[in-house]
Amino acid sequence: MPRPIQATIHTGALRHNLERLRQAAPGAQLWAVVKANAYGHGIERVFEGLRGADGFALLDLAEAERVRALGWRGPILLLEGVFEPRDLELCSRLSLWHAVHDDAQIDWLAMHKTHQPHHVFLKLNSGMNRLGFAPERLRAAHARLSALPQVGEISLMTHFSDADGARGIAAQWAVFQRVTEGLPGERSVCNSAATLRHAQDAAVRADWVRPGIAAYGGSPDFPAHDAAHWGLQPAMTLRSRLIATGSLQAGDSIGYGSTFTAERPMRVGVVACGYADGYPRHAPTGTPVLVDGVRTRLLGRVSMDMLSVDLEPVPQAGPGSAVTLWGQGLPIDEVAHAAGTIGYELMCALAPRVPVQVD
């Protein structure tokens, strides 16, 4: 009998979330962002749910090859562009669009031999200060690209650093508008937070939106708003079962380091899930868990293969009782917040040893 832990990918939720994002950005084309192996969900597992998108955005050539192998013939965008000159050969062969964010990438294009001009996304650093040309250098980069026979269409992009918070996008959007004014080409600026919070303004939305976490049912601005507020559904549920139950007396502790000590007699359960499955070791006592559909809490320190839960709210629970670690009925953002991290990390951390099914 296999160990009783399993992740489920919800194809219907992926479709629902795409439709919700289209509603948030009417008229815009939509990238389905599948970098980091589709945020830990698996590119092959999410493809059917996300193939209603207008294109797939991802990080590296191996991911692009996987999407093409699934039969996708539409646009694929390399969000960080190419990492060395020979990458451009595969871009030509697979008809990949790619970001250009520094002079070296333009130099490589100038040396590249191709019969099919490349579609590039010229990236502006509008204030994120990560990748992209500085505002005073973007037009020179655009001029260089425009002069190359290896380059066909040039689109323009930037990335917002604070779309999920009070600072918002106004300052960066103003920089992008000023620097790109009069330049031809499609625009792409909105991540998940900007798509949900700001893309109703047609001027901000531009031509392409590229939501990541929202497509998988995570809220980009939790705890200000949860996924339900945005009308999103979880695309991944991690479930397991109780494999043992026991009792603590007042003064008894549980788990490594004895970080939880009972103040009174109580029942506890042991769940077949630990940090080797991708559950965060740093999740503290009180992190929410569902047992037989009833909300309870994590107790003590998470072990490699097991964690303990409080069974006081679930007196009927016993070995074999169903446990939900996150997903349907328990938002991943809530679990992540309790553990001092974000839902993105929990999704991406799902361990290879966890069996995954697609519904």
Side-chain angles (χ1 to χ4, degrees):
M1 173 112 183
R3 185 164 168 262
I5 186 171
Q6 185 173 71
T8 302
I9 307 302
H10 308 294
T11 301
L14 291 164
R15 293 194 182 107
H16 167 88
N17 295 338
L18 277 192
E19 180 57 32
R20 174 67 190 91
L21 289 159
R22 286 198 185 280
Q23 293 169 1
Q29 297 187 88
L30 187 147
W31 294 109
V33 181
V34 294
K35 63 180 181 176
N37 195 27
Y39 286 52
H41 293 64
I43 288 174
E44 290 76 12
R45 299 184 193 115
V46 303
F47 180 70
E48 284 302 319
L50 295 180
R51 68 183 308 162
D54 300 293
F56 284 85
L58 38 75
L59 208 62
D60 60 40
L61 294 171
E63 291 174 332
E65 288 181 304
R66 290 164 65 188
V67 174
R68 285 286 186 238
L70 290 166
W72 180 255
R73 296 294 174 258
I76 296 178
L77 173 63
L78 297 176
L79 288 165
E80 293 181 6
V82 298
F83 299 103
E84 59 182 2
R86 65 179 181 177
D87 292 348
L88 291 169
E89 298 172 11
L90 199 56
C91 287
S92 292
R93 181 156 61 84
L94 296 179
S95 298
L96 305 181
W97 302 0
H98 49 100
V100 172
H101 58 79
D102 69 13
D103 288 309
Q105 292 172 325
I106 302 179
D107 295 339
W108 300 339
L109 272 166
M111 297 183 293
H112 178 55
K113 295 179 180 179
T114 180
H115 297 293
Q116 183 67 36
H118 287 217
H119 185 156
V120 301
F121 275 64
L122 178 59
K123 188 163 190 176
L124 169 69
N125 174 15
S126 61
M128 180 82 165
N129 293 315
R130 200 170 59 176
L131 296 179
F133 287 91
E136 64 273 14
R137 299 191 57 241
L138 185 97
R139 285 182 173 266
H142 190 280
R144 284 192 67 197
L145 288 169
S146 298
L148 294 179
Q150 294 91 339
V151 175
E153 188 171 348
I154 303 173
S155 297
L156 300 161
M157 69 187 299
T158 194
H159 193 70
F160 294 131
S161 58
D162 293 277
D164 59 342
R167 187 174 180 183
I169 67 170
Q172 284 187 260
W173 177 238
V175 172
F176 184 83
Q177 285 184 299
R178 172 177 58 82
V179 174
T180 63
E181 184 178 5
L183 292 178
E186 294 182 327
R187 270 72 167 157
S188 177
V189 298
C190 287
N191 54 14
S192 286
T195 298
L196 291 169
R197 293 167 61 113
H198 303 287
Q200 291 71 26
D201 181 345
V204 174
R205 182 172 60 251
D207 303 289
W208 288 87
V209 294
R210 48 180 200 274
I213 192 69
Y216 303 98
S219 172
D221 61 351
F222 190 87
H225 300 101
D226 62 13
H229 171 87
W230 294 119
L232 303 172
Q233 298 177 1
M236 176 196 291
T237 298
L238 180 63
R239 296 187 178 97
S240 187
R241 293 190 177 275
L242 295 184
I243 58 173
T245 61
S247 298
L248 299 181
Q249 301 302 314
D252 288 349
S253 61
I254 193 167
Y256 287 117
S258 301
T259 60
F260 174 79
T261 300
E263 297 178 352
R264 60 187 181 279
M266 61 186 300
R267 289 185 73 228
V268 297
V270 179
V271 182
C273 180
Y275 60 77
D277 300 299
Y279 196 89
R281 181 182 180 275
H282 51 278
T285 291
T287 299
V289 180
L290 300 184
V291 176
D292 284 340
V294 177
R295 180 177 289 249
T296 183
R297 58 178 179 146
L298 174 74
L299 297 177
R301 185 171 292 166
V302 175
S303 300
M304 180 181 288
D305 309 304
M306 292 173 281
L307 56 83
S308 298
V309 294
D310 183 356
L311 294 184
E312 282 194 310
V314 206
Q316 78 282 3
S321 288
V323 176
T324 299
L325 287 313
W326 63 67
Q328 291 181 338
L330 182 60
I332 193 170
D333 298 312
E334 192 174 340
V335 177
H337 186 69
T341 184
I342 55 177
Y344 303 68
E345 184 177 9
L346 300 194
M347 292 177 186
C348 293
L350 186 71
R353 80 175 188 176
V354 177
V356 182
Q357 68 172 4
V358 179
D359 69 10

